[in-house]
Amino acid sequence: EQRKGPGHTMFYDVACGDETGQITMSLKDTQIEGIAKDKIICVRNGSIKMVRGFMRLVVDKWGKLDRDVEGRVERIGERDLSSIEFEVYPS
């Protein structure tokens, strides 16, 4: 899914996961190169951002997105952490 962020930045929401579960990852237009369906990637030092009450995995300036990873994921876990809506209560 493609969406426009602040300024002229485009974001792409992609589903990713492993045996433990799945989450939606938000990638900037500069990060989408080399990402394809069923491609194995490794996210190092990623973080969670809340987008409209839902969790998104992001790779910011402190993180790394490694696209050249060997390996295989036998199955994707059923629990989708991005499908859970959270409400923020003022403190």
Side-chain angles (χ1 to χ4, degrees), residues 5-42:
H8 297 286
T9 305
M10 294 299 294
F11 287 93
Y12 298 86
D13 290 340
V14 297
C16 64
D18 62 11
E19 293 86 358
T20 62
Q22 51 190 299
I23 194 163
T24 300
M25 183 167 54
S26 289
L27 298 171
K28 293 181 183 176
D29 51 359
T30 57
Q31 296 173 311
I32 199 72
E33 184 178 333
I35 304 294
K37 182 174 174 26
D38 296 330
K39 172 122 174 103
I40 302 292
I41 60 172
C42 180

Side-chain angles (χ1 to χ4, degrees), residues 62-80:
W62 304 110
K64 182 178 181 188
L65 186 60
D66 190 359
R67 294 167 183 86
D68 297 320
V69 177
E70 295 293 324
R72 213 179 137 126
V73 176
E74 296 299 323
R75 67 175 191 85
I76 302 296
E78 291 183 24
R79 185 171 180 150
D80 184 359

Side-chain angles (χ1 to χ4, degrees), residues 50 53-56 79-87:
M50 299 303 289
F54 296 92
M55 289 194 292
R56 296 289 184 264
R79 185 171 180 150
D80 184 359
L81 297 176
S82 292
S83 67
I84 303 167
E85 185 173 11
F86 293 87
E87 291 186 44

